[in-house]
Amino acid sequence: MKLAADRLLGIVLIGLAAFVAVQAMQLEVPFSYDPVGPRAFPLGLAILLAALASVLIVKPGTNEAWPGRQLGVKLLLVLATLLVYALLFTKLGFIITSLLAVTSLARMFGAPWGKALLTGGLMAVVSYYLFAHALGISLPSGYWIEPLL
């Protein structure tokens, strides 16, 4: 039986979920202001990822063909964008890095420059205020802006 692309992806995602779970179990902080601790969120995501990936294995889609070259390149560009996002997150700060990432992702999927920039700006600013003010999560402002503050 030929291994379907969905099933192979499901197996890879279960491996990723296991990796995230192992890394989450190693999280320790010297003090805890949260009764749940820092492990809960990554463990919850790992469990959810494993559950959804198992659906891909048990019941793959009807199209068992691998994605075409153009889609494969686009997926690699998305992965590269997210890696650059992770590398620049603390250096440039949340708002600037999110603006650049969302704008480039929108452009990759065919949005015109104006709409891509508007979407990137709105998502960066709104998500910053949601995380920082509504949820109380501390986000990096970036090394470039700290001297200005």
Side-chain angles (χ1 to χ4, degrees):
M1 180 172 115
K2 186 177 176 183
L3 192 61
D6 287 350
R7 288 193 171 124
L8 183 59
L9 177 64
I11 292 168
V12 169
L13 289 176
I14 286 179
L16 177 64
F19 175 76
V20 168
V22 167
Q23 295 300 315
M25 292 304 294
Q26 295 175 0
L27 284 176
E28 290 188 26
V29 291
F31 64 91
S32 181
Y33 57 89
D34 185 10
V36 183
R39 297 178 182 160
F41 188 70
L43 276 176
L45 286 178
I47 291 168
L48 180 63
L49 178 60
L52 293 173
S54 64
V55 171
L56 282 174
I57 294 171
V58 173
K59 190 176 180 184
T62 57
N63 184 7
E64 295 183 9
W66 288 92
R69 182 181 210 94
Q70 188 177 20
L71 181 59
V73 169
K74 193 178 283 190
L75 291 173
L76 288 175
L77 285 172
V78 168
L79 178 63
T81 300
L82 295 176
L83 287 173
V84 169
Y85 180 81
L87 292 172
L88 296 177
F89 187 70
T90 56
K91 290 176 179 57
L92 294 179
F94 179 84
I95 292 178
I96 298 296
T97 311
S98 297
L99 168 72
L100 294 172
V102 172
T103 301
S104 63
L105 289 171
R107 286 290 298 151
M108 275 182 225
F109 288 95
W113 275 106
K115 288 182 180 180
L117 283 169
L118 180 66
T119 302
L122 284 173
M123 285 190 70
V125 171
V126 169
S127 61
Y128 176 80
Y129 280 106
L130 283 175
F131 283 120
H133 297 292
L135 297 175
I137 297 172
S138 177
L139 295 171
S141 58
Y143 296 137
W144 66 276
I145 200 168
E146 286 176 3
L148 301 175
L149 300 174

